PDB file of all heavy atoms in Angstrom:
ATOM      1  N   GLN W   1      32.716  53.483 123.213  1.00 95.00           N
ATOM      2  CA  GLN W   1      32.354  53.190 124.513  1.00 95.00           C
ATOM      3  C   GLN W   1      32.497  51.754 124.874  1.00 95.00           C
ATOM      4  O   GLN W   1      31.820  50.952 124.204  1.00 95.00           O
ATOM      5  CB  GLN W   1      30.881  53.723 124.830  1.00 95.00           C
ATOM      6  CG  GLN W   1      30.465  53.299 126.275  1.00 95.00           C
ATOM      7  CD  GLN W   1      28.875  53.445 126.555  1.00 95.00           C
ATOM      8  OE1 GLN W   1      28.158  53.858 125.654  1.00 95.00           O
ATOM      9  NE2 GLN W   1      28.506  53.142 127.696  1.00 95.00           N
ATOM     10  N   MET W   2      33.429  51.421 125.710  1.00 95.00           N
ATOM     11  CA  MET W   2      33.556  49.997 126.027  1.00 95.00           C
ATOM     12  C   MET W   2      32.877  49.709 127.391  1.00 95.00           C
ATOM     13  O   MET W   2      33.025  50.351 128.346  1.00 95.00           O
ATOM     14  CB  MET W   2      35.079  49.616 126.118  1.00 95.00           C
ATOM     15  CG  MET W   2      35.310  48.296 126.898  1.00 95.00           C
ATOM     16  SD  MET W   2      34.408  46.868 126.190  1.00 95.00           S
ATOM     17  CE  MET W   2      35.309  46.630 124.658  1.00 95.00           C
ATOM     18  N   CYS W   3      31.971  48.694 127.415  1.00 93.00           N
ATOM     19  CA  CYS W   3      31.174  48.359 128.558  1.00 93.00           C
ATOM     20  C   CYS W   3      30.699  46.929 128.417  1.00 93.00           C
ATOM     21  O   CYS W   3      30.852  46.386 127.386  1.00 93.00           O
ATOM     22  CB  CYS W   3      30.037  49.332 128.882  1.00 93.00           C
ATOM     23  SG  CYS W   3      28.832  49.312 127.458  1.00 93.00           S
ATOM     24  N   ASP W   4      30.117  46.374 129.449  1.00 91.00           N
ATOM     25  CA  ASP W   4      29.463  45.124 129.388  1.00 91.00           C
ATOM     26  C   ASP W   4      28.112  45.380 128.815  1.00 91.00           C
ATOM     27  O   ASP W   4      27.651  46.374 128.662  1.00 91.00           O
ATOM     28  CB  ASP W   4      29.436  44.343 130.696  1.00 91.00           C
ATOM     29  CG  ASP W   4      28.716  44.984 131.813  1.00 91.00           C
ATOM     30  OD1 ASP W   4      27.694  45.569 131.547  1.00 91.00           O
ATOM     31  OD2 ASP W   4      29.345  45.118 132.959  1.00 91.00           O
ATOM     32  N   ALA W   5      27.259  44.215 128.644  1.00 89.00           N
ATOM     33  CA  ALA W   5      26.011  44.317 127.846  1.00 89.00           C
ATOM     34  C   ALA W   5      24.858  44.840 128.837  1.00 89.00           C
ATOM     35  O   ALA W   5      23.789  44.707 128.381  1.00 89.00           O
ATOM     36  CB  ALA W   5      25.630  42.943 127.327  1.00 89.00           C
ATOM     37  N   LEU W   6      25.110  45.145 130.139  1.00 90.00           N
ATOM     38  CA  LEU W   6      23.969  45.683 130.969  1.00 90.00           C
ATOM     39  C   LEU W   6      23.409  46.939 130.398  1.00 90.00           C
ATOM     40  O   LEU W   6      24.210  47.812 130.009  1.00 90.00           O
ATOM     41  CB  LEU W   6      24.566  45.868 132.386  1.00 90.00           C
ATOM     42  CG  LEU W   6      24.942  44.669 133.210  1.00 90.00           C
ATOM     43  CD1 LEU W   6      25.446  44.958 134.518  1.00 90.00           C
ATOM     44  CD2 LEU W   6      23.641  43.626 133.356  1.00 90.00           C
ATOM     45  N   ALA W   7      22.103  46.992 130.518  1.00 89.00           N
ATOM     46  CA  ALA W   7      21.489  48.221 130.038  1.00 89.00           C
ATOM     47  C   ALA W   7      21.840  49.451 130.760  1.00 89.00           C
ATOM     48  O   ALA W   7      21.815  50.540 130.319  1.00 89.00           O
ATOM     49  CB  ALA W   7      19.872  48.082 129.993  1.00 89.00           C
ATOM     50  N   ALA W   8      22.273  49.279 132.087  1.00 88.00           N
ATOM     51  CA  ALA W   8      22.663  50.414 132.875  1.00 88.00           C
ATOM     52  C   ALA W   8      23.852  51.091 132.414  1.00 88.00           C
ATOM     53  O   ALA W   8      24.025  52.353 132.585  1.00 88.00           O
ATOM     54  CB  ALA W   8      22.865  49.938 134.384  1.00 88.00           C
ATOM     55  N   ASN W   9      24.630  50.357 131.617  1.00 90.00           N
ATOM     56  CA  ASN W   9      25.942  51.006 131.123  1.00 90.00           C
ATOM     57  C   ASN W   9      25.704  51.942 129.888  1.00 90.00           C
ATOM     58  O   ASN W   9      26.511  52.625 129.482  1.00 90.00           O
ATOM     59  CB  ASN W   9      27.021  49.981 130.887  1.00 90.00           C
ATOM     60  CG  ASN W   9      27.543  49.284 132.154  1.00 90.00           C
ATOM     61  OD1 ASN W   9      27.613  50.038 133.173  1.00 90.00           O
ATOM     62  ND2 ASN W   9      27.802  48.001 132.004  1.00 90.00           N
ATOM     63  N   THR W  10      24.558  51.767 129.267  1.00 89.00           N
ATOM     64  CA  THR W  10      24.343  52.489 128.085  1.00 89.00           C
ATOM     65  C   THR W  10      23.067  53.485 128.313  1.00 89.00           C
ATOM     66  O   THR W  10      22.448  53.908 127.462  1.00 89.00           O
ATOM     67  CB  THR W  10      24.003  51.670 126.917  1.00 89.00           C
ATOM     68  OG1 THR W  10      23.016  50.671 127.178  1.00 89.00           O
ATOM     69  CG2 THR W  10      25.315  50.963 126.446  1.00 89.00           C
ATOM     70  N   ALA W  11      22.555  53.602 129.619  1.00 84.00           N
ATOM     71  CA  ALA W  11      21.547  54.361 129.926  1.00 84.00           C
ATOM     72  C   ALA W  11      21.839  55.905 129.783  1.00 84.00           C
ATOM     73  O   ALA W  11      22.924  56.241 129.759  1.00 84.00           O
ATOM     74  CB  ALA W  11      20.940  54.247 131.408  1.00 84.00           C
ATOM     75  N   GLY W  12      20.927  56.722 129.558  1.00 81.00           N
ATOM     76  CA  GLY W  12      21.213  58.197 129.377  1.00 81.00           C
ATOM     77  C   GLY W  12      21.324  58.479 127.910  1.00 81.00           C
ATOM     78  O   GLY W  12      21.134  57.734 127.022  1.00 81.00           O
ATOM     79  N   ASP W  13      21.431  59.852 127.742  1.00 84.00           N
ATOM     80  CA  ASP W  13      21.502  60.440 126.379  1.00 84.00           C
ATOM     81  C   ASP W  13      22.897  60.224 125.885  1.00 84.00           C
ATOM     82  O   ASP W  13      23.690  61.251 125.920  1.00 84.00           O
ATOM     83  CB  ASP W  13      21.019  61.910 126.362  1.00 84.00           C
ATOM     84  CG  ASP W  13      20.950  62.439 124.931  1.00 84.00           C
ATOM     85  OD1 ASP W  13      21.028  61.593 123.958  1.00 84.00           O
ATOM     86  OD2 ASP W  13      20.708  63.539 124.711  1.00 84.00           O
ATOM     87  N   LEU W  14      23.242  59.133 125.339  1.00 87.00           N
ATOM     88  CA  LEU W  14      24.592  58.793 124.797  1.00 87.00           C
ATOM     89  C   LEU W  14      24.678  58.792 123.360  1.00 87.00           C
ATOM     90  O   LEU W  14      23.889  58.190 122.712  1.00 87.00           O
ATOM     91  CB  LEU W  14      25.126  57.469 125.451  1.00 87.00           C
ATOM     92  CG  LEU W  14      25.357  57.403 126.895  1.00 87.00           C
ATOM     93  CD1 LEU W  14      25.662  55.955 127.404  1.00 87.00           C
ATOM     94  CD2 LEU W  14      26.620  58.278 127.282  1.00 87.00           C
ATOM     95  N   ARG W  15      25.736  59.482 122.850  1.00 90.00           N
ATOM     96  CA  ARG W  15      26.102  59.239 121.445  1.00 90.00           C
ATOM     97  C   ARG W  15      27.446  58.670 121.286  1.00 90.00           C
ATOM     98  O   ARG W  15      28.430  59.384 121.281  1.00 90.00           O
ATOM     99  CB  ARG W  15      26.040  60.741 120.784  1.00 90.00           C
ATOM    100  CG  ARG W  15      25.325  60.723 119.332  1.00 90.00           C
ATOM    101  CD  ARG W  15      25.124  62.196 118.924  1.00 90.00           C
ATOM    102  NE  ARG W  15      26.204  63.147 119.252  1.00 90.00           N
ATOM    103  CZ  ARG W  15      27.176  63.288 118.322  1.00 90.00           C
ATOM    104  NH1 ARG W  15      27.279  62.693 117.172  1.00 90.00           N
ATOM    105  NH2 ARG W  15      28.189  64.147 118.619  1.00 90.00           N
ATOM    106  N   THR W  16      27.493  57.407 121.245  1.00 93.00           N
ATOM    107  CA  THR W  16      28.742  56.681 121.426  1.00 93.00           C
ATOM    108  C   THR W  16      28.621  55.465 120.400  1.00 93.00           C
ATOM    109  O   THR W  16      27.668  55.039 119.932  1.00 93.00           O
ATOM    110  CB  THR W  16      29.027  56.062 122.749  1.00 93.00           C
ATOM    111  OG1 THR W  16      27.976  55.327 123.198  1.00 93.00           O
ATOM    112  CG2 THR W  16      29.156  57.213 123.708  1.00 93.00           C
ATOM    113  N   ILE W  17      29.880  54.898 120.064  1.00 94.00           N
ATOM    114  CA  ILE W  17      29.958  53.634 119.285  1.00 94.00           C
ATOM    115  C   ILE W  17      30.163  52.515 120.347  1.00 94.00           C
ATOM    116  O   ILE W  17      31.303  52.515 120.923  1.00 94.00           O
ATOM    117  CB  ILE W  17      31.165  53.715 118.320  1.00 94.00           C
ATOM    118  CG1 ILE W  17      30.921  54.928 117.361  1.00 94.00           C
ATOM    119  CG2 ILE W  17      31.189  52.492 117.529  1.00 94.00           C
ATOM    120  CD1 ILE W  17      32.096  55.171 116.491  1.00 94.00           C
ATOM    121  N   VAL W  18      29.247  51.714 120.587  1.00 94.00           N
ATOM    122  CA  VAL W  18      29.295  50.775 121.682  1.00 94.00           C
ATOM    123  C   VAL W  18      30.098  49.575 121.337  1.00 94.00           C
ATOM    124  O   VAL W  18      29.749  48.869 120.267  1.00 94.00           O
ATOM    125  CB  VAL W  18      27.908  50.548 122.300  1.00 94.00           C
ATOM    126  CG1 VAL W  18      28.040  49.614 123.473  1.00 94.00           C
ATOM    127  CG2 VAL W  18      27.280  51.778 122.674  1.00 94.00           C
ATOM    128  N   ALA W  19      31.028  49.215 122.186  1.00 94.00           N
ATOM    129  CA  ALA W  19      31.703  47.846 122.099  1.00 94.00           C
ATOM    130  C   ALA W  19      31.537  47.154 123.504  1.00 94.00           C
ATOM    131  O   ALA W  19      31.484  47.819 124.498  1.00 94.00           O
ATOM    132  CB  ALA W  19      33.240  48.166 121.976  1.00 94.00           C
ATOM    133  N   ASN W  20      31.166  45.817 123.267  1.00 94.00           N
ATOM    134  CA  ASN W  20      30.994  44.983 124.500  1.00 94.00           C
ATOM    135  C   ASN W  20      32.341  44.133 124.958  1.00 94.00           C
ATOM    136  O   ASN W  20      33.186  43.921 123.973  1.00 94.00           O
ATOM    137  CB  ASN W  20      29.954  44.023 124.321  1.00 94.00           C
ATOM    138  CG  ASN W  20      28.435  44.754 124.406  1.00 94.00           C
ATOM    139  OD1 ASN W  20      27.462  44.141 124.067  1.00 94.00           O
ATOM    140  ND2 ASN W  20      28.522  45.978 124.996  1.00 94.00           N
ATOM    141  N   CYS W  21      32.359  43.816 126.090  1.00 94.00           N
ATOM    142  CA  CYS W  21      33.524  43.235 126.777  1.00 94.00           C
ATOM    143  C   CYS W  21      33.555  41.814 126.444  1.00 94.00           C
ATOM    144  O   CYS W  21      32.761  40.891 126.833  1.00 94.00           O
ATOM    145  CB  CYS W  21      33.466  43.594 128.253  1.00 94.00           C
ATOM    146  SG  CYS W  21      34.843  42.771 129.118  1.00 94.00           S
ATOM    147  N   ILE W  22      34.746  41.301 125.759  1.00 95.00           N
ATOM    148  CA  ILE W  22      34.896  39.851 125.531  1.00 95.00           C
ATOM    149  C   ILE W  22      35.175  39.177 126.789  1.00 95.00           C
ATOM    150  O   ILE W  22      34.860  37.999 126.920  1.00 95.00           O
ATOM    151  CB  ILE W  22      36.087  39.655 124.463  1.00 95.00           C
ATOM    152  CG1 ILE W  22      35.667  40.282 123.161  1.00 95.00           C
ATOM    153  CG2 ILE W  22      36.513  38.375 124.302  1.00 95.00           C
ATOM    154  CD1 ILE W  22      36.680  40.152 121.994  1.00 95.00           C
ATOM    155  N   ALA W  23      35.823  39.808 127.748  1.00 94.00           N
ATOM    156  CA  ALA W  23      36.238  39.123 129.059  1.00 94.00           C
ATOM    157  C   ALA W  23      34.966  38.646 129.710  1.00 94.00           C
ATOM    158  O   ALA W  23      34.965  37.579 130.421  1.00 94.00           O
ATOM    159  CB  ALA W  23      36.980  39.985 129.834  1.00 94.00           C
ATOM    160  N   HIS W  24      33.789  39.505 129.607  1.00 93.00           N
ATOM    161  CA  HIS W  24      32.559  39.128 130.340  1.00 93.00           C
ATOM    162  C   HIS W  24      32.019  37.783 129.532  1.00 93.00           C
ATOM    163  O   HIS W  24      31.482  36.882 130.197  1.00 93.00           O
ATOM    164  CB  HIS W  24      31.484  40.136 130.105  1.00 93.00           C
ATOM    165  CG  HIS W  24      31.749  41.134 131.266  1.00 93.00           C
ATOM    166  ND1 HIS W  24      32.615  42.088 131.210  1.00 93.00           N
ATOM    167  CD2 HIS W  24      30.871  41.454 132.361  1.00 93.00           C
ATOM    168  CE1 HIS W  24      32.522  42.942 132.304  1.00 93.00           C
ATOM    169  NE2 HIS W  24      31.552  42.501 133.044  1.00 93.00           N
ATOM    170  N   ALA W  25      31.987  37.715 128.231  1.00 94.00           N
ATOM    171  CA  ALA W  25      31.566  36.600 127.484  1.00 94.00           C
ATOM    172  C   ALA W  25      32.511  35.359 127.808  1.00 94.00           C
ATOM    173  O   ALA W  25      31.952  34.199 128.137  1.00 94.00           O
ATOM    174  CB  ALA W  25      31.618  36.825 126.042  1.00 94.00           C
ATOM    175  N   ARG W  26      33.801  35.527 127.934  1.00 94.00           N
ATOM    176  CA  ARG W  26      34.644  34.479 128.153  1.00 94.00           C
ATOM    177  C   ARG W  26      34.450  33.918 129.543  1.00 94.00           C
ATOM    178  O   ARG W  26      34.513  32.706 129.836  1.00 94.00           O
ATOM    179  CB  ARG W  26      36.133  35.008 128.105  1.00 94.00           C
ATOM    180  CG  ARG W  26      37.149  33.946 128.504  1.00 94.00           C
ATOM    181  CD  ARG W  26      38.585  34.630 128.385  1.00 94.00           C
ATOM    182  NE  ARG W  26      39.579  33.590 128.707  1.00 94.00           N
ATOM    183  CZ  ARG W  26      39.899  33.117 129.998  1.00 94.00           C
ATOM    184  NH1 ARG W  26      39.260  33.679 131.004  1.00 94.00           N
ATOM    185  NH2 ARG W  26      40.850  32.289 130.075  1.00 94.00           N
ATOM    186  N   ARG W  27      34.120  34.847 130.632  1.00 94.00           N
ATOM    187  CA  ARG W  27      33.890  34.402 131.946  1.00 94.00           C
ATOM    188  C   ARG W  27      32.777  33.361 132.021  1.00 94.00           C
ATOM    189  O   ARG W  27      32.813  32.538 132.962  1.00 94.00           O
ATOM    190  CB  ARG W  27      33.589  35.625 132.839  1.00 94.00           C
ATOM    191  CG  ARG W  27      33.978  35.502 134.294  1.00 94.00           C
ATOM    192  CD  ARG W  27      33.929  36.833 134.938  1.00 94.00           C
ATOM    193  NE  ARG W  27      34.863  37.736 134.413  1.00 94.00           N
ATOM    194  CZ  ARG W  27      34.774  39.051 134.318  1.00 94.00           C
ATOM    195  NH1 ARG W  27      33.697  39.506 134.825  1.00 94.00           N
ATOM    196  NH2 ARG W  27      35.684  39.766 133.826  1.00 94.00           N
TER     197      ARG W  27
END
């Protein structure tokens, strides 16, 4: 699962391998 680090993007019953967006960090 690719998303930014907001908690809203990982809410819910998710069984994923989470990756965060480097573009957000770069920005």
Side-chain angles (χ1 to χ4, degrees):
Q1 178 191 358
M2 167 53 71
C3 59
D4 58 46
L6 289 176
N9 290 327
T10 53
D13 187 13
L14 288 170
R15 218 169 45 90
T16 58
I17 304 171
V18 180
N20 280 165
C21 175
I22 292 182
H24 277 77
R26 180 186 180 278
R27 204 169 297 150

